[in-house]
Amino acid sequence: MNALLRDNAQLRRQLHTALAENEAQRAEKSRETARLGERVTELRAELAGHEAAAAKLAGQLHTLQQSLPDLRERQILARRATDAEARANALSARLAEQESAAEHWRRRYLSAQKQLALAPEQIPGLPAADDEATALTGKCILCIGTHSSATEAYRGIVEGRGGRFLQQHAEQLENPKDIAAALSSADLVICQADSISRQDCRRLHAQCRQSDTPCIFLQKPGPAGFGRIVSAAFAPGERITLR
């Protein structure tokens, strides 16, 4: 019986402890619930303030729109003015390019006029007949290597016959892709062999064979030899072979 009484007393103490812990947790939950309620009230007040501010701004926008009935038209006109200014800038840049090109051709025309005043035999590479003068129409001549003293003369020979002249330095053709890109629009390749390495010559020669582009190696630079090669390359009935 004494053992039962002791067990009963111990259980009563445990029950009182559990009840006290439960009461403490209930009080904590009540305080947390109260805090959450207060926070919800604060958030609702903030939301109401934001809604009031939004309504005020909407009213101000409406008032502004009413005071400026042509606001949309003004915005459209402003965008059109911006577009027109951009087009004007583009046209100005294009005009500058055309003026530069016109000046370039004016200088070439004056140079041609001076050359025409010379005897025909004094003009390097000048064709002797009108059929040669138009033989390069629509043709593109690619010159590999550079000699600053002869390049402009080469250009004058080609463009004077209606063709297009391109100049490439050997250093620009470091790999087959670069060579293929250079050859893509060329009808004839003239390589100034003394201004590029043997390795570059072999690489260029192989790529020309692959693309079936006529290629001539010019051993000694000079307008006279260049003009003869170009004339022979596009003479009626002639076909230049790779060599």
Side-chain angles (χ1 to χ4, degrees):
M1 178 65 71
N2 291 331
L4 289 174
L5 290 174
R6 286 193 299 271
D7 291 342
N8 187 23
Q10 183 178 0
L11 290 174
R12 285 179 180 276
R13 287 193 298 271
Q14 291 178 353
L15 176 61
H16 288 309
T17 302
L19 289 174
E21 291 178 354
N22 185 38
E23 187 63 26
Q25 290 179 357
R26 181 181 298 177
E28 180 63 26
K29 290 292 183 182
S30 296
R31 289 192 294 271
E32 185 177 352
T33 301
R35 288 195 298 270
L36 290 175
E38 292 174 357
R39 182 56 181 163
V40 169
T41 302
E42 292 175 358
L43 291 175
R44 286 177 177 173
E46 290 181 6
L47 178 60
H50 290 322
E51 290 177 347
K56 182 179 179 180
L57 291 175
Q60 292 177 350
L61 176 61
H62 180 71
T63 302
L64 180 61
Q65 290 176 340
Q66 293 297 324
S67 63
L68 298 173
D70 58 344
L71 178 60
R72 185 177 298 276
E73 288 76 8
R74 292 185 181 183
Q75 291 174 338
I76 294 174
L77 289 175
R79 286 195 296 269
R80 288 179 178 175
T82 301
D83 295 341
E85 184 178 0
R87 288 195 297 271
N89 291 335
L91 289 174
S92 296
R94 186 176 178 184
L95 177 61
E97 292 178 358
Q98 291 180 347
E99 289 178 346
S100 177
E103 178 63 21
H104 168 75
W105 286 110
R106 186 186 70 83
R107 290 195 300 267
R108 292 188 60 81
Y109 172 76
L110 294 176
S111 177
Q113 289 291 92
K114 292 179 181 179
Q115 287 186 342
L116 289 175
L118 301 174
E121 62 274 9
Q122 293 178 281
I123 305 176
L126 183 68
D130 290 340
D131 57 341
E132 289 187 4
T134 59
L136 301 186
T137 302
K139 303 296 184 181
C140 178
I141 311 300
L142 172 62
C143 185
I144 306 296
T146 178
H147 286 281
S148 57
S149 61
T151 298
E152 286 305 313
Y154 295 165
R155 185 185 303 276
I157 292 172
V158 173
E159 294 180 354
R161 302 184 189 184
R164 186 159 63 98
F165 180 81
L166 297 178
Q167 177 78 37
Q168 287 278 4
H169 295 277
E171 294 77 6
Q172 296 175 283
L173 306 177
E174 293 294 337
N175 58 62
K177 290 184 178 180
D178 295 332
I179 300 176
L183 297 181
S184 60
S185 60
D187 297 291
L188 173 65
V189 176
I190 296 180
C191 177
Q192 301 182 91
D194 64 334
S195 65
I196 65 175
S197 66
R198 292 182 179 273
Q199 182 180 0
D200 290 334
C201 282
R202 288 194 295 268
R203 188 185 299 116
L204 177 64
H205 190 268
Q207 193 71 22
C208 286
R209 282 187 178 278
Q210 183 177 347
S211 63
D212 195 26
T213 303
C215 179
I216 298 297
F217 288 85
L218 182 63
Q219 298 297 331
K220 295 182 179 180
F226 183 89
R228 285 194 296 271
I229 288 176
V230 171
S231 297
F234 296 102
E238 294 291 337
R239 174 166 177 79
I240 290 292
T241 57
L242 291 172
R243 53 185 175 90

